[in-house]
Amino acid sequence: MKLEIQKRLAENMKRLRKERKLTQFELAEKANISEAMVKSVELSMAWPSDKTLTQLAEALEVDILKFFIPANTQGYVDSNLLCELKDTITRHYNTYLRNMMVELEIKS
């Protein structure tokens, strides 16, 4: 089961890329990452590192939070929602990383 936040990242990144009329290849070049990574993120198949998220945000010229804000609130987001969103992202990201580390240790 994919995390809701990972699906939101995929949907928002794809929408932002298309708004800028970029192909996955063009975004990958602009962000200096592989096209396969762009595809994987947009399909919710991979969770990007913080470095990759930063590169994607810079390439799309958006704040990283834009990747995680629900689509129906893109025009207006109050500061309380932003604080809540930052906390949720941090919590999910840390949980995801812990789970991945456990999984890697089990496979070793």
Side-chain angles (χ1 to χ4, degrees), residues 14-25:
K14 186 175 184 175
R15 180 183 48 75
L16 290 164
R17 176 180 60 78
K18 287 185 174 192
E19 284 175 2
R20 284 150 183 77
K21 297 178 176 34
L22 294 171
T23 64
Q24 289 177 333
F25 178 77

Side-chain angles (χ1 to χ4, degrees), residues 18-19 25 27 31 54 56 62 76-77 81-83 101:
K18 287 185 174 192
E19 284 175 2
F25 178 77
L27 175 58
T54 301
L56 288 165
V62 297
Y76 170 78
V77 179
L81 179 59
L82 283 179
C83 288
M101 294 304 292

Side-chain angles (χ1 to χ4, degrees), residues 8-9 12 16 53 56-57 60 64-69:
R8 188 174 300 155
L9 167 63
N12 285 337
L16 290 164
L53 272 177
L56 288 165
L60 292 168
I64 287 177
L65 285 177
K66 286 278 192 179
F67 289 141
F68 303 101
I69 297 172

